[in-house]
Amino acid sequence: MRTILFLLILSSANFFAQNLLNPKNSGINPKLIKNETSEAVWYAEKADTKIEIGTIITEIKKLNQSDLLIRTTVKMKQAPDAKWTDSTLVKISDFEPIYHSSYNVNRDMVLRSGKDKVTGYYLDKKSQKKEIIEIPATNYFDSSSYAMLIRYLPLKENYTAEISIFDYNPKSEKKGIMKAYILDTQKAEYNGKPVWMVKTNDDISNRSATTTYYIDTITRKIEKQDMDMAGRRMSLETIR
């Protein structure tokens, strides 16, 4: 009996371990990845009113047979000249991270993924304080890419998973390896199209912020995102 119980415990542990997604166990289908440029309008929601904050342009481009560029440019409505650009380079086959940069009016950040650590810097433009980053890390996705990665997973009803991610924020107690979570996946409809409705959160927000993605079942394009951050609601609606 003890032997049977021990084997059951081992098999259960292996089952749950397989649910942790990382580049060695990515689960993605690279054939679904296509070059594309999309634009979404960013709204803040209050009661029944939507207030436009800005637009986000996302470019996905295969640079060669192995490398994929994900670039997002944020244009704020109140400050149209103050752009915020994030660029992330990953492997097409498994989204293994290579490089990430983020530039806006307040700070610059660069992260380079090595064999067993992440290096780079964070520059606060207001104080001109520059932090050198060197954090041990292996087998993870960059936090900036996991929203795109979700699109290419073997989505089905009731699909859930944990995702190993790396995130750096000097103002947060949590830095380095942490997790994102796919909480639920359901079939739904958006603007007359069948979509996967994928509910997520992550350790970056201490699981207090939930994002729901509406992903076209055929093209795997993100048609909409709903974000609930402790009662503060925002959304992104793709217009092209």
Side-chain angles (χ1 to χ4, degrees), residues 164-229:
S164 179
I165 61 173
F166 179 96
D167 188 75
Y168 182 84
N169 181 346
K171 297 179 181 178
S172 173
E173 293 181 2
K174 290 186 176 182
K175 301 179 183 70
I177 299 290
M178 56 191 77
K179 290 181 182 179
Y181 307 88
I182 297 178
L183 305 174
D184 188 34
T185 305
Q186 296 296 329
K187 288 182 179 178
E189 189 174 287
Y190 177 73
N191 282 347
K193 298 179 182 179
V195 295
W196 290 116
M197 188 169 66
V198 184
K199 185 178 180 181
T200 70
N201 62 21
D202 54 48
D203 290 336
I204 300 170
S205 67
N206 291 317
R207 304 191 69 172
S208 64
T210 300
T211 300
T212 302
Y213 299 91
Y214 297 78
I215 301 172
D216 189 299
T217 59
I218 305 300
T219 66
R220 292 299 179 97
K221 188 174 183 177
I222 297 175
E223 298 292 343
K224 185 185 179 185
Q225 297 178 46
D226 287 332
M227 294 158 278
D228 189 335
M229 297 171 287

Side-chain angles (χ1 to χ4, degrees), residues 9-21 25 162 179:
I9 291 169
L10 278 180
S11 62
S12 297
N14 287 334
F15 173 79
F16 287 112
Q18 290 173 357
N19 233 14
L20 178 63
L21 303 185
N25 176 38
E162 296 184 353
K179 290 181 182 179

Side-chain angles (χ1 to χ4, degrees), residues 48-76:
D48 295 327
T49 304
K50 293 197 302 185
I51 303 168
E52 184 177 336
I53 299 174
T55 58
I56 300 178
I57 297 172
T58 302
E59 179 186 8
I60 299 175
K61 184 178 182 180
K62 296 179 182 180
L63 300 181
N64 48 50
Q65 291 185 339
S66 62
D67 299 336
L68 183 72
L69 173 66
I70 303 168
R71 179 186 289 126
T72 58
T73 303
V74 181
K75 297 180 179 179
M76 307 300 289

Side-chain angles (χ1 to χ4, degrees), residues 124-135:
D124 186 313
K125 292 183 177 178
K126 291 183 178 179
S127 65
Q128 286 301 303
K129 181 181 178 181
K130 187 174 185 179
E131 295 186 27
I132 302 302
I133 301 167
E134 186 171 344
I135 300 175

Side-chain angles (χ1 to χ4, degrees), residues 19-169:
N19 233 14
L20 178 63
L21 303 185
N22 53 56
K24 291 183 179 179
N25 176 38
S26 69
I28 72 169
N29 182 356
K31 293 181 180 179
L32 295 172
I33 302 173
K34 310 293 183 184
N35 290 347
E36 68 173 45
T37 300
S38 61
E39 182 176 356
V41 181
W42 182 9
Y43 294 103
E45 300 181 10
K46 189 174 182 180
D48 295 327
T49 304
K50 293 197 302 185
I51 303 168
E52 184 177 336
I53 299 174
T55 58
I56 300 178
I57 297 172
T58 302
E59 179 186 8
I60 299 175
K61 184 178 182 180
K62 296 179 182 180
L63 300 181
N64 48 50
Q65 291 185 339
S66 62
D67 299 336
L68 183 72
L69 173 66
I70 303 168
R71 179 186 289 126
T72 58
T73 303
V74 181
K75 297 180 179 179
M76 307 300 289
K77 189 173 183 180
Q78 298 298 325
D81 296 328
K83 293 182 180 179
W84 179 344
T85 302
D86 282 19
S87 298
T88 304
L89 195 62
V90 301
K91 293 294 184 183
I92 296 171
S93 60
D94 56 12
F95 266 56
E96 179 182 356
I98 301 170
Y99 172 88
H100 173 69
S101 65
S102 182
Y103 301 105
N104 62 38
V105 294
N106 297 315
R107 55 109 178 103
D108 292 346
M109 182 171 68
V110 171
L111 300 174
R112 296 181 178 86
S113 297
K115 184 178 179 180
D116 56 6
K117 62 183 176 181
V118 174
T119 60
Y121 69 87
Y122 184 102
L123 174 64
D124 186 313
K125 292 183 177 178
K126 291 183 178 179
S127 65
Q128 286 301 303
K129 181 181 178 181
K130 187 174 185 179
E131 295 186 27
I132 302 302
I133 301 167
E134 186 171 344
I135 300 175
T138 58
N139 212 22
Y140 59 89
F141 301 111
D142 189 276
S143 62
S144 65
S145 69
Y146 88 80
M148 290 297 108
L149 176 143
I150 289 171
R151 300 172 54 182
Y152 311 121
L153 293 175
L155 299 175
K156 60 182 180 180
E157 284 194 302
N158 304 313
Y159 177 85
T160 62
E162 296 184 353
I163 305 173
S164 179
I165 61 173
F166 179 96
D167 188 75
Y168 182 84
N169 181 346

